[in-house]
Amino acid sequence: MLIGREKEKEILVSALHEEYSQFIAVYGRRRVGKTFLIREAYDYKFDFQFTGAAKLATRKQLVRFRRALKEHGQNDTPELTNWGDAFGELKRFINGLPTGKKVVFLDELPWMDAPRSGFLSELESFWNGWASARKDIVFVVCGSSTSWMVKKIIKNKGGLHNRLTHRISLKPFPLGLCEQLAQSRGLVLSRKQLLEAYMVFGGVPYYWSLLQKGNSITQEIDRLIFSSDGELNDEFEMLYASLFKKPEPYIRVIELLARKKMGLTRLELLAAGKFEDNGTFSDILKDLEWCGFIRSYSMMGYKSKSEIFQLIDHYTLFYYEFIDEQNQGTNYWRTMLGTPKYNTWCGLAFERACLWHVDQIKKRLGISGILTNEYAWRSSGDEKTQIDLLIDRSDGIIDLCEMKYSKEQYVISADYSRELQRKRKVFADVTGTKSALHTIMVTTEGVAHNEQWGEVQAEVNLDDLFEL
């Protein structure tokens, strides 16, 4: 059952009714549901479908491609010696099909592009020189290596430049769709429990599809991650190895960012990781950002060179906080509940969840239609302070968001009230902003309306983050 993805599905389905041939690229991180979306949109009916295999030589890929053609009915397919032969045989196969739209789906495209294989140039020739000149082809390509898909297909500067009809960037689910997915699987969970699952798995549908009903989230985290035979026990290694041919420098960047909640500038990363300051390092950062593992932001009041890179992938952060340890044991997560380390993690993970739900926060504040820019911010002077999320609005207001995870209503103490005042003053002094500064509390259980509550201009609670 397909949850959400209505707009993306509509693009795929409507391609069947367009007058001319369509070239559609679907991309997004591993496990986000790209193949599932395409299969559901076309009701699992393709005129030709082929999936590339990881770390397989071109010769073996071509053997599999020939087998796929024979399985689809072209029994006289000869042996294929290169990708030119393969696409030539694909054209011959399509020419033999009945009149009407033909859906051709190539999955895991990056895995077909081995060094010196000539795959990309033959793909260009197939589309530019043949399929685009017809009216009956729906050509859908997909790949988990988001960086490859962006560089080679989406932003191709060669023969495929501006040739795509549609590009579909598939993002992880927000909390509201995770809730729908859980309900569709018969899971009975409170929104606080759903939040805890989100703080571990993020909005990656595949991870959520592994949850079994009848168990608590705590039990499921132990079963999936900390059990030696759990489906996600080795997910970290599989995740980065599947996305990058040489994952080591990418993981090094991730390791450095995992230690710094607010993130690091490019110069700080270069120094800490002893990287060479060149185009290769720039590509690493771009690749990680395209894949959704990190985000970059500039801080108000500072020059653009102070751009900061921040790790935002929930599963990766959870890995470095808890999984990358020795001797956790099968019931490790149960033993962590209520410990200081667990409580600290809840606070940080909730902040990250809020960063993935800025649209929901804006909706609750009634500013969905207002042009905004979102930042994190930190001062480096004597008055050190940091703000994990600020919303700079075009109506002359900047919302300084304070995000707090708590089991009960959050109580603003006198000390914390003074800290909120100090933060506003430091921010105003450093940035020189003339905008009105509003403190916004984003909490799990709401804010107690005590005498310090007047510091807050608006509240956002957990239920608001589930809005779609």
Side-chain angles (χ1 to χ4, degrees):
M1 177 180 176
L2 186 65
I3 301 295
R5 313 299 197 199
E6 289 87 0
K7 293 179 181 178
E8 295 87 350
K9 181 180 178 181
E10 176 58 28
I11 292 172
L12 292 166
V13 173
S14 65
L16 296 170
H17 309 291
E18 295 291 341
E19 181 178 359
Y20 297 98
S21 290
Q22 304 286 297
F23 185 8
I24 305 171
V26 182
Y27 61 106
R29 61 158 287 168
R30 171 181 161 91
R31 311 292 206 185
V32 82
K34 301 177 296 298
T35 302
F36 182 67
L37 164 67
I38 295 166
R39 288 173 176 170
E40 287 284 315
Y42 295 117
D43 197 24
Y44 293 76
K45 297 173 183 176
F46 303 100
D47 293 277
F48 180 76
Q49 178 184 5
F50 177 72
T51 301
K55 299 180 180 179
L56 211 60
T58 298
R59 180 179 59 82
K60 293 184 178 179
Q61 298 277 13
L62 292 169
V63 169
R64 296 179 67 255
F65 196 90
R66 178 178 182 243
R67 186 185 307 137
L69 281 166
K70 296 179 76 171
E71 288 170 352
H72 283 81
Q74 186 164 281
N75 294 318
D76 62 344
T77 303
E79 290 189 9
L80 306 174
T81 58
N82 54 55
W83 281 111
D85 290 347
F87 280 106
E89 286 300 308
L90 178 58
K91 286 186 281 188
R92 183 166 75 91
F93 169 72
I94 293 172
N95 280 329
L97 294 174
T99 302
K101 281 288 194 296
K102 289 92 173 170
V103 181
V104 177
F105 175 33
L106 298 186
D107 198 2
E108 292 301 355
L109 210 63
W111 290 344
M112 305 177 209
D113 186 34
R116 299 179 297 281
S117 67
F119 171 79
L120 197 59
S121 62
E122 295 300 338
L123 176 72
E124 293 172 358
S125 177
F126 171 77
W127 176 255
N128 293 339
W130 189 78
S132 65
R134 301 168 62 109
K135 292 187 175 184
D136 60 346
I137 305 295
V138 177
F139 186 38
V140 183
V141 299
C142 175
S144 292
S145 179
T146 309
S147 58
W148 188 96
M149 290 292 294
V150 172
K151 286 187 283 190
K152 304 292 187 179
I153 303 295
I154 310 300
K155 296 186 177 182
N156 185 289
K157 296 179 180 179
L160 290 179
H161 180 65
N162 285 338
R163 295 291 186 169
L164 282 177
T165 313
H166 297 285
R167 55 186 185 182
I168 300 174
S169 175
L170 219 56
K171 305 294 185 185
F173 278 173
L175 277 164
L177 289 180
C178 290
E179 182 177 47
Q180 289 184 18
L181 179 55
Q183 290 171 346
S184 74
R185 297 184 56 77
L187 306 179
V188 180
L189 300 167
S190 69
R191 285 189 162 177
K192 200 74 171 286
Q193 292 166 331
L194 289 167
L195 172 64
E196 180 172 5
Y198 191 90
M199 293 192 304
V200 175
F201 302 120
V204 180
Y206 174 75
Y207 298 159
W208 287 79
S209 73
L210 298 174
L211 298 176
Q212 296 178 356
K213 64 180 181 180
N215 291 334
S216 68
I217 291 299
T218 300
Q219 289 174 301
E220 286 299 273
I221 292 171
D222 271 329
R223 180 181 68 85
L224 292 171
I225 296 176
F226 296 109
S227 297
S228 59
D229 58 349
E231 288 96 323
L232 299 179
N233 182 265
D234 61 351
E235 175 65 10
F236 182 85
E237 291 78 8
M238 296 291 292
L239 179 61
Y240 287 90
S242 71
L243 294 176
F244 309 113
K245 292 181 179 178
K246 296 181 179 179
E248 293 79 14
Y250 294 89
I251 292 175
R252 180 60 179 149
V253 170
I254 291 294
E255 287 174 345
L256 293 171
L257 293 178
R259 301 172 190 163
K260 294 291 184 179
K261 170 189 166 187
M262 286 288 290
L264 295 167
T265 65
R266 178 191 174 91
L267 292 177
E268 288 170 338
L269 280 168
L270 287 168
K274 298 181 180 178
F275 294 102
E276 291 187 20
D277 188 0
N278 53 29
T280 299
F281 184 69
S282 297
D283 286 343
I284 290 172
L285 295 177
K286 287 178 184 176
D287 290 350
L288 289 171
E289 190 164 7
W290 281 333
C291 290
F293 294 119
I294 69 175
R295 70 164 182 159
S296 61
Y297 62 90
S298 298
M299 295 197 300
M300 291 183 64
Y302 293 88
K303 296 179 181 179
S304 59
K305 69 178 181 180
S306 67
E307 184 179 44
I308 292 175
F309 298 90
Q310 183 182 35
L311 180 58
I312 58 171
D313 181 65
H314 288 275
Y315 177 81
T316 300
L317 285 155
F318 186 78
Y319 172 85
Y320 281 108
E321 190 66 31
F322 296 104
I323 306 173
D324 189 25
E325 295 181 353
Q326 299 297 318
N327 304 317
Q328 298 103 330
T330 301
N331 297 320
Y332 174 78
W333 193 239
R334 293 174 225 193
T335 66
M336 291 302 300
L337 298 182
T339 64
K341 183 174 183 177
Y342 171 85
N343 293 332
T344 299
W345 169 79
C346 284
L348 297 175
F350 179 63
E351 291 174 5
R352 291 190 291 267
C354 292
L355 295 179
W356 282 95
H357 291 79
V358 172
D359 287 345
Q360 285 75 14
I361 293 172
K362 289 173 60 177
K363 183 177 181 180
R364 173 64 181 85
L365 297 176
I367 59 172
S368 295
I370 296 176
L371 181 65
T372 65
N373 288 305
E374 291 80 44
Y375 307 92
W377 188 86
R378 66 185 183 190
S379 64
S380 55
D382 295 334
E383 288 265 21
K384 292 189 181 298
T385 192
Q386 65 182 48
I387 300 167
D388 296 303
L389 173 63
L390 63 86
I391 303 174
D392 185 11
R393 300 159 42 172
S394 61
D395 59 355
I397 293 173
I398 297 177
D399 293 321
L400 310 183
C401 298
E402 293 285 311
M403 296 164 281
K404 298 295 181 182
Y405 182 97
S406 61
K407 295 180 180 179
E408 308 291 341
Q409 276 194 331
Y410 187 79
V411 178
I412 300 176
S413 66
D415 286 344
Y416 185 53
S417 177
R418 286 189 289 272
E419 173 63 12
L420 293 177
Q421 295 171 26
R422 188 190 72 83
K423 278 190 176 184
R424 291 196 297 269
K425 183 178 186 305
V426 171
F427 179 78
D429 290 345
V430 172
T431 63
T433 182
K434 301 301 182 184
S435 297
L437 302 180
H438 286 187
T439 295
I440 310 297
M441 293 298 298
V442 186
T443 64
T444 48
E445 301 293 342
V447 181
H449 288 202
N450 62 1
E451 55 194 88
Q452 279 81 37
W453 183 71
E455 289 294 330
V456 178
Q457 294 294 317
E459 294 180 44
V460 180
N461 61 37
L462 181 57
D463 286 340
D464 297 320
L465 300 184
F466 279 82
E467 289 292 319
L468 294 172

